[in-house]
Amino acid sequence: MPNLSNEISNSIKDAYQKQQVLNISAGKTKQFYGRNINAKSLSLTEHAGIIEYEPTELYITARSGTPLAEIEQMVADHNQILPCEPPRFGDNATLGGTIACGLAGPRRVSAGNVRDCVLGTEIINGKGETLRFGGKVMKNVAGYDVSRLMCGALGTLGAIMSISIRLLPKPEKEETIAITIDCTTAIDKLNQWAKTPMPISASFYDGSELYIRLSSSESAIKACKKSIGGELINNHGSFWNGVKEQTHAFFKTDKPLWRISVPSNTRLLNINGDSVMEWNGALRWYSTNEDQKTVRTEAIKAGGHATLFKGGVTDQIFHPLPKVSFDLHKKLKQVFDPANILNPGKMFTEL
Amino acid sequence: MPEPISTPDLANQFCKVVPKDAVLTRDEQLMPYECDALTAYRQLPRLALLPSSIEEIKAIVKICNEYQIPIVARGAGTSLSGGALPHKDGILLNLAKLSQILEIDTQNRTATVQPGVRNLAISEAAEPYGLYYAPDPSSQIACTIGGNIAENSGGVHCLKYGLTLHNILALKILTIEGEVLELGGKNLDSPGYDLLALMIGSEGMLGITLEVTVKLLPHPHDKKVMLAAFDDIQRAGDAVNGIISNGVIPAGLEMLDQLTIQATEMYCNPGYPSNAAAILICELDGFDEELETQVELVKEILNEHQAIEVRVAKDKQEAELLWLGRKASFPALGNLTPDYYCMDGTIPRKHLAHVLESISNLSKKHGLRVANVFHAGDGNLHPVILYDANISGELEIAEKLGGEILELCVTVGGTITGEHGVGVEKLNQMCVQFSEAEISTFHAIKAAFDEHELLNPGKAIPTLHRCAELGAMHVHQGKLPHPDLPRF
Ligand SMILES: Cc1cc2nc3c(=O)[nH]c(=O)nc-3n(C[C@H](O)[C@H](O)[C@H](O)COP(=O)(O)OP(=O)(O)OC[C@H]3O[C@@H](n4cnc5c(N)ncnc54)[C@H](O)[C@@H]3O)c2cc1C
């Protein structure tokens, strides 16, 4: 696959001179995420290909347009995984889009966030300059951590050209058990278990059943199953895929879908609507018609924040930031994109 | 620019906002702050201040901002890169008194602490609840969490449990303008840019850390420590790769070379095989049977790589003894030499043997001994250059040798610093690792937070002028020594 760095850099330089705003995209699987913007499309899909994969070094470097599926397949062939288990939301999902959105999947609680597994990035800033930050080794503190700043920035700080990602060995075995339980007890149990070294790598509560995925050796799983109880489920791979890709029945909703991030031990939120819970209780999804003020207030009360993930009418997708923070956001945007041409408004109106 | 203010007048200003005895003015009071653990660089500050509350810090920063006085924050002063070296026109802000543990939240498994709390004190406070704070720099009895945040410190267990970055949930930062920036929370992500990640490892140049919330982990079910000796360092390096490519992520995987083994034997007698060219110390953790299986697997791999001895500690005492030598490596090496200079490059592990050989050649070339003790699992090298500062010119040779080692790390696709930070020490090598546009970006980020460069000025990011003078940046104009190696 071709290296299109020069072409992309030239397009951005050109846009910079003409003050032409750009909408950076790739697989278009996560277009729903963030605010709608009206701008000339700059597609990175063709800038694809795995640059370097060293199974023994536990990292992979790939161009941003590389399909996530290709990367996951490649590392799976060597018994490795992307730690953060990112959702694809469609066949065409790319690595670049995954990093730009910064969304982690079910394994978040045990293996960290998207940014936690980013080792380095090459970006093109809003002036068309190619910049490299971080590296491919796990320990690296030279210079500010700009590569992680790109995670979740929705392309507003630069076009991500390539990324080095830390990998983990695939767990020897995984099994999932289901327990019928009420919500409060589920929250209590999850937080109790998290205080033990039990190898819980994912959890999902659907309102009546709590699903726990254990990832470890056969013997460790056996010991944990005994202390957790519940019933083993079949086809657990497709079950977690449904949670990750949001093809699970809960997500098939016409109502706005809210993603609420709270401390794991937070009690049931006072929001009307259907909800499910992931990440030991730290991630709550609500499908609800409640107005955004109610949802956000509840999230804040719990010490968290709410994102209007899908649907809804508000223009405010992400939780508003305090002024001190937002002022710094604007200054950082200036640093990377002085002409304000990269995905302007994708995250917040003024960014 | 405001009118310059005399040091006595400045001291008087500070005396209005903090108790008199918290304003240190006399040389003998300032001497303890003259350097951090990188003692080759020394500088007295104009004044040192010892605030004991957040309010006092805010008041101090306000005065500094008004009179444009540089501020160097200091935790325990254990930085190995001169990060806490005072500024000649500035004040030294000692945060050691802010040592309160504010909350241990056992339900959400977090600890909220003040910046001057020592790393180990967090784990001690969490211990009654069966929890601990994972990053464990060797300096953990002394270094503070504020310093750890600034340096993104690692430890022997970060191979499995991550660096400081992976274990911090929230920060309260005081900006130079005197505003409090709250980042993160007890939840697992935040809206907007990841300023939390940006702040960690920023060497005290973007803000002053006022409060930190860390993630606490449960202790592993059980652990086993093993030692393997090799008569060839290359085999030891290959064994490290063997372990990891077999899907084992040890909690810790450390390597000591012959010089270090001999030094530690003389120093604290941990019982290392003194005929070995290198030893590995490997800690595994997990559930009973799982752990047993892993120990067997690792043993097999070590034997495959022709270890001359493999030992599994039978009990806690023996395990502690095996770690003792590793943990005492630096003082042990200190016993061999009047002065030593500890480097901190990281490399992709596959280049281990090549890099060690090149280091040995550089050592011969410059006529100074180099010992190697390092975090083998993550490729973070600590070559220790032994020298004598009293011999005229030796410090300069040591620095030159050190610089060449770091440049070697960059050449093989690694980095100049894995965990100690750039500080004042590695400014020249930054010019090798980064291009002009990248360094300009760093400066612009600094300016976004601290327009007048009052927070730890002159550290971590070299001026473009400096790089130009060094001529080091030419490697970026398409003339990288190994153009085939993707350099990032
Ligand atoms: C024997 C020894 C062993 C070591 N082992 C390791 C190791 O295994 N791993 C490792 O990573 N490091 C190690 N170090 C290096 C050092 O301990 C770490 O860098 C540590 O994090 C420094 O903490 P400190 O409190 O001493 O910070 P200081 O040395 O006081 O300061 C370090 C930097 O942090 C800034 N700073 C401190 N507090 C604040 C604050 N509240 N807000 C803003 N900036 C602040 C300072 O300005 C300075 O730039 C070792 C050092 C020694 C001497």
Side-chain angles (χ1 to χ4, degrees), chain A residues 54 56-57 108 115-116 132 135-136 138-141 156 164 191 216-217 219 259 261 265 305 329, chain B residues 107-109 158 166 187-189 193-194 218 289-290 346 349-350 375 380 415 417 419 438 448 488:
Chain A
E54 298 269 357
T56 56
E57 303 283 335
R108 165 69 181 94
R115 66 98 133 133
D116 291 330
R132 300 182 183 92
K136 51 194 182 185
M138 180 176 142
K139 288 169 94 174
N140 186 353
V141 294
T156 58
S164 290
N191 283 287
S216 186
S217 66
S219 55
R259 179 189 186 277
S261 163
N265 195 44
H305 67 95
H329 275 68
Chain B
Q107 292 310 313
N108 287 300
R109 305 163 305 284
C158 62
H166 303 104
N187 54 343
L188 296 177
D189 48 36
Y193 298 150
D194 199 338
E289 282 173 53
E290 172 196 23
T346 305
R349 275 186 316 269
K350 65 176 169 182
H375 312 297
N380 185 196
T415 173
T417 174
E419 58 182 12
E438 288 151 6
F488 83 73

Side-chain angles (χ1 to χ4, degrees), chain B residues 73 75-79 83 95 138-139 143-144 147-148 150-151 153-154 204 209 419 456:
Chain B
T78 67
S79 161
L95 297 166
S138 311
S139 51
C143 66
T144 65
N148 292 175
E151 306 288 7
S153 299
T209 302
E419 58 182 12
N456 216 3

Side-chain angles (χ1 to χ4, degrees), chain B residues 405-436:
Chain B
I405 293 176
L406 297 186
E407 283 156 31
L408 174 68
C409 294
V410 177
T411 313
V412 300
T415 173
I416 57 170
T417 174
E419 58 182 12
H420 294 168
V422 173
V424 287
E425 182 203 15
K426 302 177 199 84
L427 286 169
N428 290 348
Q429 285 73 36
M430 284 291 284
C431 308
V432 179
Q433 189 164 330
F434 293 98
S435 71
E436 189 177 329

Side-chain angles (χ1 to χ4, degrees), chain A residues 51-52 54-59 61-62 80 108-109 113 115-117 120-122 125 129-146 148-149 151-153 156-157 162-164 166-170 172 188 190-199 216-217 219-220 223-224 259 261-267 279-280 282-283 303-305 318-325 327-333 335-336 347-348 351, chain B residues 106-109 129-131 151-155 158-160 162-163 165-166 168 175 177 179-183 185-198 200-203 205-206 215 218-221 241 244-245 247-249 287-290 293 344 346-351 375 378 380 382 412-422 430 433-435 437-438 441-449 460-461 476 485-488:
Chain A
I51 299 172
E52 209 185 347
E54 298 269 357
T56 56
E57 303 283 335
L58 294 176
Y59 75 81
T61 306
Q80 295 181 343
R108 165 69 181 94
V109 276
N113 217 343
R115 66 98 133 133
D116 291 330
C117 65
T121 50
E122 179 185 302
N125 68 11
E129 295 170 327
T130 300
L131 308 169
R132 300 182 183 92
F133 300 100
K136 51 194 182 185
V137 288
M138 180 176 142
K139 288 169 94 174
N140 186 353
V141 294
Y144 301 127
D145 200 344
V146 178
R148 293 194 173 92
L149 192 62
C151 283
T156 58
L157 296 177
S162 60
I163 304 111
S164 290
R166 175 172 151 86
L167 304 169
L168 279 182
K170 188 167 167 242
E172 192 183 315
D188 285 341
L190 285 166
N191 283 287
Q192 270 164 28
W193 290 327
K195 273 187 262 181
T196 72
M198 274 196 287
S216 186
S217 66
S219 55
C224 296
R259 179 189 186 277
S261 163
V262 287
S264 63
N265 195 44
T266 303
R267 302 289 101 181
W279 298 2
N280 285 344
L283 184 61
H305 67 95
F318 297 98
H319 218 83
L321 299 173
K323 186 172 181 303
V324 199
S325 173
D327 286 348
L328 281 166
H329 275 68
K330 284 191 279 192
K331 287 187 189 168
L332 285 171
K333 172 76 173 167
V335 169
F336 288 92
M347 191 182 257
F348 294 102
L351 217 61
Chain B
T106 58
Q107 292 310 313
N108 287 300
R109 305 163 305 284
Y129 312 100
L131 299 168
E151 306 288 7
N152 189 14
S153 299
C158 62
L159 179 57
K160 185 163 182 179
L163 308 161
L165 171 90
H166 303 104
I168 300 299
T175 68
E177 262 108 44
E179 284 175 302
V180 176
L181 177 65
E182 297 199 26
L183 304 173
K186 287 181 183 174
N187 54 343
L188 296 177
D189 48 36
S190 310
Y193 298 150
D194 199 338
L195 299 186
L196 187 66
L198 185 65
I200 297 171
S202 64
E203 305 202 17
M205 294 177 59
L206 304 183
K215 180 163 100 181
H219 287 292
H221 200 257
N241 281 340
I244 290 171
S245 60
V248 180
I249 302 283
F287 271 78
D288 304 342
E289 282 173 53
E290 172 196 23
T293 326
D344 174 45
T346 305
I347 55 164
R349 275 186 316 269
K350 65 176 169 182
H351 296 300
H375 312 297
D378 42 35
N380 185 196
H382 291 318
V412 300
T415 173
I416 57 170
T417 174
E419 58 182 12
H420 294 168
V422 173
M430 284 291 284
Q433 189 164 330
F434 293 98
S435 71
E438 288 151 6
T441 304
F442 290 144
H443 283 298
I445 293 173
K446 164 80 172 157
F449 283 82
I461 315 294
H476 280 272
L485 297 167
R487 185 197 54 88
F488 83 73

Side-chain angles (χ1 to χ4, degrees), chain B residues 43-231:
Chain B
Q43 172 66 52
L44 287 182
R46 280 172 83 177
L47 297 168
L49 300 169
L50 269 158
S52 45
S53 71
I54 303 290
E55 290 317 310
E56 288 181 2
I57 298 177
K58 286 185 183 166
I60 291 167
V61 168
K62 186 155 180 265
I63 293 170
C64 290
N65 196 25
E66 185 178 334
Y67 293 98
Q68 300 281 293
I69 307 293
I71 303 172
V72 178
R74 180 177 172 113
T78 67
S79 161
L80 288 168
S81 57
L85 181 76
H87 190 281
K88 70 174 179 16
D89 303 323
I91 61 145
L92 189 289
L93 188 65
N94 182 350
L95 297 166
K97 276 195 186 168
L98 283 110
S99 59
Q100 258 173 294
I101 294 185
L102 302 170
E103 183 198 44
I104 303 279
D105 178 344
T106 58
Q107 292 310 313
N108 287 300
R109 305 163 305 284
T110 65
T112 301
V113 305
Q114 290 190 320
V117 169
R118 290 172 304 110
N119 172 298
L120 189 62
I122 302 177
S123 289
E124 285 169 352
E127 184 57 43
Y129 312 100
L131 299 168
Y132 77 110
Y133 173 62
D136 56 343
S138 311
S139 51
Q140 72 177 152
I141 35 169
C143 66
T144 65
I145 192 73
N148 292 175
I149 302 281
E151 306 288 7
N152 189 14
S153 299
V156 292
H157 290 98
C158 62
L159 179 57
K160 185 163 182 179
Y161 296 102
L163 308 161
T164 301
L165 171 90
H166 303 104
N167 290 279
I168 300 299
L169 294 169
L171 289 177
K172 263 189 206 160
I173 301 286
L174 184 65
T175 68
I176 189 66
E177 262 108 44
E179 284 175 302
V180 176
L181 177 65
E182 297 199 26
L183 304 173
K186 287 181 183 174
N187 54 343
L188 296 177
D189 48 36
S190 310
Y193 298 150
D194 199 338
L195 299 186
L196 187 66
L198 185 65
M199 204 50 77
I200 297 171
S202 64
E203 305 202 17
M205 294 177 59
L206 304 183
I208 294 170
T209 302
L210 298 180
E211 196 178 294
V212 184
T213 300
V214 307
K215 180 163 100 181
L216 298 175
L217 295 183
H219 287 292
H221 200 257
D222 197 6
K223 46 182 152 187
K224 286 269 188 253
V225 180
M226 45 207 297
L227 170 146
F230 295 84
D231 58 11

